Every structure is written in C-alpha cells, then in structure tokens.
Amino acid sequence: YEAAVADMRLYLEGGTAELESYRRLADLYEKAGDPLNALLMTETALTYSGKDRDLLARWTRHRDEAAFA
C-alpha cells in the first residue's frame, strides 16, 4: 500500500485534489494500518462534501481508531 499512497500523494500534488482522490487515499492509509492519516484524508475530503454520509461514517471510525493507536 505504501507505493499506492505515494502515487496518490503525487497525483494530488499535481493539482488534482478532488473528493474521490482523498477518499481513495484514506482507504489506502486505512489498509496500510495508519488510522491517523486515514482520518486526516477523510477530514480533507469532508471539506469538499461536508454532508457525505459515507465520509462522516468513515470520519467517526478513523477518529476512534486513531484515538487508540
């Protein structure tokens, strides 16, 4: 997952910062066992769509996981 995370970060730095990119990056961090970065990417995605139910559920889950990490 580390290579995929690096690729997505480069993609976002290139100016393509869209909601789904941050959602995907949060997924990758979650799968890599990094709940804090998953939370940060989810929070960033929420700035694009603050009422997205999936993102809100993910935010709660990542927040809880990060608190115990």
Side-chain angles (χ1 to χ4, degrees):
Y1 297 108
E2 291 178 22
V5 166
D7 288 345
M8 284 298 295
R9 302 279 295 169
L10 285 173
Y11 179 71
L12 290 170
E13 289 172 11
T16 311
E18 297 180 14
L19 171 66
E20 293 306 317
S21 297
Y22 284 108
R23 186 188 314 263
R24 179 69 180 133
L25 195 51
D27 284 340
L28 292 169
Y29 277 122
E30 182 178 12
K31 289 177 182 176
D34 188 344
L36 184 56
N37 276 314
L39 176 63
L40 292 172
M41 294 302 107
T42 301
E43 287 179 342
T44 303
L46 282 166
T47 65
Y48 290 90
S49 181
K51 296 182 181 181
D52 185 301
R53 288 183 182 195
D54 174 61
L55 288 173
L56 292 169
R58 288 171 185 246
W59 181 84
T60 300
R61 185 176 71 242
H62 297 318
R63 180 201 61 203
D64 294 345
E65 290 172 355
F68 295 107

